[in-house]
């Protein structure tokens, strides 16, 4: 493990797990009119989309996302294109997948995917948002703001925090991302990007402690 991939302490792990649990909406995946695979650096998203498709939870899947702003070399042809290829390799039929290759943030993921579904003539009353585990709450709050007329169900690969750390292989990066997403949950409603979410006091304490410890590489400048 290199210096910039330093291990986290037990206290930091405890605080990060509190935030991890808060970020998850704990929705039970159920059948929806369509699903949106939200672009990111994590191929766990299209893999879980494929699993949910095989389980019969939706007939149509949109992969959304352009170049990843923090890791542009990971998916050089854009998140949506690579996600689609991964899902097809896992057995999702091409005719079930729509592509939205331009979104640069979560709000655009949802609004541009909504437009793609509308252009395909697909009426949506319920939508399944598939994201990284720590992105569920922000995706939910964003969708409720920008697409309030649909019912939103959130889903992510069912991984425990420690298992996710091993999957990514960089503990500091994961904690930075947890902190950055929580900052967005707190700040985005003030900017008109998302609906307000209640943040429990223990989650706030964990957030402030991790900020003090320097887990701040994914913060917005606000």
């Amino acid at each position: 493990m290199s210096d910039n991939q330093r291990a986290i302490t037990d206290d930091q792990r405890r605080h990060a797990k509190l935030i991890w649990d808060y970020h998850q909406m704990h929705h039970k995946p159920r059948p929806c009119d369509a699903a949106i695979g939200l672009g990111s650096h994590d191929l766990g998203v299209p893999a879980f989309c494929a699993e949910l498709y095989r389980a019969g939870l939706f007939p149509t899947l949109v992969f959304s996302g352009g170049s990843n702003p923090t890791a542009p070399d990971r998916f050089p042809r854009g998140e949506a294109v690579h996600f689609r290829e991964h899902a097809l390799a896992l057995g999702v039929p091409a005719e079930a997948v729509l592509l939205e290759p331009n979104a640069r943030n979560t709000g655009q993921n949802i609004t541009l995917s909504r437009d793609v579904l509308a252009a395909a003539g697909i009426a949506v009353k319920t939508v399944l948002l598939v994201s990284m585990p720590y992105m569920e709450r922000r995706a939910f709050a964003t969708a409720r703001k920008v697409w309030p007329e649909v019912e939103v169900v959130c889903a992510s690969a069912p991984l425990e925090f420690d298992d996710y750390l091993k999957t990514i292989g960089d503990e500091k990066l994961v904690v930075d991302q947890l902190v950055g997403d929580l900052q967005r949950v707190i700040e985005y409603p003030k900017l008109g990007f998302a609906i307000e979410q209640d943040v429990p006091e223990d989650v706030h304490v964990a957030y402030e402690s991790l900020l003090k410890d320097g887990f701040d590489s994914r913060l917005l400048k606000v």
Side-chain angles (χ1 to χ4, degrees):
M1 187 176 285
S2 67
D3 288 344
N4 67 341
Q5 293 179 319
R6 64 182 170 82
I8 58 177
T9 68
D10 288 345
D11 262 1
Q12 290 164 350
R13 184 180 301 269
R14 181 172 54 82
H15 287 143
K17 187 175 185 310
L18 258 179
I19 295 173
W20 167 272
D21 290 341
Y22 170 73
H23 277 314
Q24 295 188 36
M25 297 300 296
H26 305 289
H27 291 167
K28 183 174 174 56
R30 58 180 179 80
C32 290
D33 297 322
I36 301 172
L38 299 173
S40 69
H41 60 80
D42 186 354
L43 282 175
V45 173
F48 195 51
C49 285
E51 185 178 324
L52 296 174
Y53 177 83
R54 290 194 300 270
L57 292 193
F58 47 84
T60 304
L61 168 61
V62 184
F63 283 121
S64 171
S67 173
N68 187 294
T70 57
D73 296 336
R74 180 153 170 74
F75 299 128
R77 287 171 293 121
E79 296 164 339
V81 172
H82 287 268
F83 277 23
R84 177 182 181 274
E85 290 173 353
H86 196 65
L88 297 188
L90 293 171
V92 178
E95 60 270 20
V97 182
L98 300 174
L99 205 58
E100 187 296 293
N102 299 311
R104 303 285 294 171
N105 55 54
T106 306
Q108 290 179 3
N109 284 144
I110 294 163
T111 56
L112 296 178
S113 296
R114 178 190 62 198
D115 295 345
V116 165
L117 288 162
I122 297 166
V124 178
K125 292 183 179 177
T126 55
V127 64
L128 185 66
L129 297 182
V130 185
S131 69
M132 296 181 292
Y134 62 82
M135 247 186 86
E136 282 193 23
R137 186 171 294 275
R138 179 159 65 88
F140 175 81
T142 303
R144 294 296 300 126
K145 180 70 176 185
V146 302
W147 202 1
E149 61 272 25
V150 300
E151 188 175 347
V152 177
V153 180
C154 293
S156 61
L159 289 169
E160 296 296 331
F161 177 57
D162 286 343
D163 293 330
Y164 190 77
L165 286 177
K166 289 174 191 163
T167 299
I168 300 301
D170 185 336
E171 294 186 348
K172 181 174 189 306
L173 174 64
V174 171
V175 179
D176 281 347
Q177 289 168 329
L178 292 175
V179 169
D181 253 57
L182 182 51
Q183 184 208 28
R184 286 159 176 78
V185 168
I186 294 166
E187 298 294 337
Y188 274 3
K190 305 170 194 172
L191 301 172
F193 298 159
I195 66 165
E196 198 85 42
Q197 298 285 285
D198 179 57
V199 182
E201 180 61 27
D202 59 347
V203 175
H204 260 299
V205 169
Y207 173 67
E208 295 295 339
S209 177
L210 290 171
L211 278 179
K212 184 167 63 68
D213 287 349
F215 291 92
D216 55 8
S217 76
R218 290 297 182 267
L219 292 183
L220 291 168
K221 292 178 173 59
V222 292

